[in-house]
Amino acid sequence: MATRRLRKSQSTELSKVEQTDPREFRKTNEAIGLRVREGKLSLLTRKVFNVMMFHAQELKTPGVNAPIDTPSAKKYFWIPLSDLARDARYDSNDVEYLKQQLEELQNIKLLMENERQWTSERLVSSITLVNPHGLKKHSGQVWFGFAFPPEVHELVMSPGIYTRFSIFYQGLLRSGPALALYEICRRYATNPSKLTLIESYAHWYGVLTGNPVEVAALGPYKYFKRDVIKPAISEINALTDIQVELIEHKNGRRIERLQFKVQQSKQTQLAFPAP
């Protein structure tokens, strides 16, 4: 889907937001470009998970702001549901759809492997909504509570080698592949080579679409390039602080592996207002 050009009034409004919203979160490089084994990462679930990471790092400890006094409440991170919707740029009043997307986060299964450890784990272990006045009431504050599985919790709270991401720029992107590619390329923006790793078509299909990969079911590469890669690059280059370029690696006449070149945008950064 092509990126829509922002109207002048929208651009002015976004500039004002950028000037007053410098918030960032740390995302471990191990969690950038995750390959999903079960479930699917959509644009909204990607944004919601990033917002959860941001607030968990801000809160530092589970149980802070707990709206109910129970032993289990002390194991959750708590934020107002309205803060989650605002930071994820969810501008609908359809709470049921949001709940479906939150459930989808729990259905996402990841495989994490390094030199020392192999781990199969869910992205989010538990999610809850609480209104001390009653969920069916129109009064009171609805709170969003969430908890991570042990390995994910450690990656969120002690990210080790990480990349900083802006809540503002993730909010501008309007497709899941664009957000996924932005995160991967933003990681390499400060790398001396300015180049991502060279990976197979199947690898990039998995990390950009958020779908489990079945190599036998992959369609022709030219359609993936047309429908996923090119729109994602256009969106990133038009709306964010980096510029991305596709590099194709051939085996004979066949394109088998892909890589991306990334540069910081040449546009000047907006100054923050004086205190």
Side-chain angles (χ1 to χ4, degrees):
M1 181 172 62
T3 303
R4 292 179 296 175
R5 182 173 297 177
L6 296 175
R7 296 192 302 270
K8 185 176 180 180
S9 60
Q10 289 177 307
S11 299
T12 302
E13 181 181 353
L14 291 175
S15 296
K16 291 178 180 177
V17 172
E18 183 180 26
Q19 286 182 303
T20 57
D21 190 6
R23 296 177 301 162
E24 294 181 326
F25 61 96
R26 295 166 294 143
K27 191 166 189 175
T28 176
N29 290 348
E30 293 181 62
I32 297 173
L34 288 172
R35 298 189 67 178
V36 176
R37 298 300 179 183
E38 290 181 13
K40 178 180 179 179
L41 277 168
S42 66
L43 173 65
L44 183 56
T45 52
R46 289 181 191 275
K47 288 185 176 182
V48 165
F49 182 68
N50 284 345
V51 170
M52 290 162 64
M53 291 179 64
F54 167 75
H55 284 285
Q57 291 170 7
E58 288 287 297
L59 291 167
K60 295 182 175 59
T61 306
V64 177
N65 299 328
I68 51 177
D69 186 16
T70 64
S72 62
K74 295 180 175 62
K75 299 178 182 180
Y76 289 90
F77 293 101
W78 293 97
I79 61 173
L81 184 62
S82 57
D83 287 3
L84 174 71
R86 178 199 64 208
D87 293 339
R89 296 290 181 93
Y90 183 72
D91 55 2
S92 170
N93 292 324
D94 190 345
V95 177
E96 290 304 314
Y97 178 75
L98 180 57
K99 287 164 66 176
Q100 291 173 13
Q101 294 298 296
L102 294 175
E103 282 190 284
E104 186 62 32
L105 269 176
Q106 289 184 280
N107 294 331
I108 295 171
K109 185 178 181 180
L110 306 172
L111 182 62
M112 295 177 285
E113 188 172 3
N114 56 36
E115 295 178 354
R116 298 182 304 166
Q117 188 172 355
W118 177 94
T119 304
S120 176
E121 198 161 51
R122 297 291 174 182
L123 193 59
V124 178
S125 62
S126 186
I127 289 171
T128 183
L129 297 179
V130 171
N131 183 348
H133 292 268
L135 283 177
K136 301 299 183 181
K137 303 289 185 179
H138 293 290
S139 60
Q141 172 72 65
V142 179
W143 289 84
F144 172 60
F146 57 94
F148 303 111
E151 291 295 331
V152 176
H153 181 94
E154 186 66 21
L155 290 176
V156 170
M157 304 308 293
S158 302
I161 300 175
Y162 61 84
T163 301
R164 288 188 176 275
F165 289 101
S166 163
I167 290 290
F168 172 76
Y169 284 120
Q170 87 147 15
L172 296 183
L173 296 170
R174 291 292 179 263
S175 70
L179 180 53
L181 183 59
Y182 172 74
E183 289 189 1
I184 295 168
C185 291
R186 190 68 184 78
R187 171 186 173 184
Y188 289 93
T190 55
N191 188 290
S193 72
K194 308 294 185 184
L195 296 170
T196 69
L197 297 178
I198 302 172
E199 301 285 1
S200 67
Y201 161 33
H203 171 90
W204 287 109
Y205 177 90
V207 298
L208 296 189
T209 64
N211 291 320
V213 177
E214 295 182 13
V215 176
L218 289 176
Y221 164 71
K222 63 180 181 180
Y223 298 126
F224 175 65
K225 178 180 178 181
R226 181 194 68 188
D227 299 334
V228 177
I229 294 179
K230 293 182 72 174
I233 290 177
S234 296
E235 199 171 334
I236 291 168
N237 292 348
L239 297 174
T240 74
D241 56 342
I242 60 174
Q243 298 290 300
V244 175
E245 176 185 341
L246 171 66
I247 301 174
E248 298 173 326
H249 294 268
K250 295 183 178 181
N251 183 3
R253 299 180 61 183
R254 183 184 180 87
I255 297 170
E256 291 190 344
R257 300 196 297 168
L258 308 173
Q259 186 179 30
F260 294 88
K261 182 178 181 180
V262 55
Q263 297 284 347
Q264 296 277 5
S265 293
K266 295 180 181 179
Q267 64 186 31
T268 58
Q269 295 295 312
L270 295 171
F272 294 109

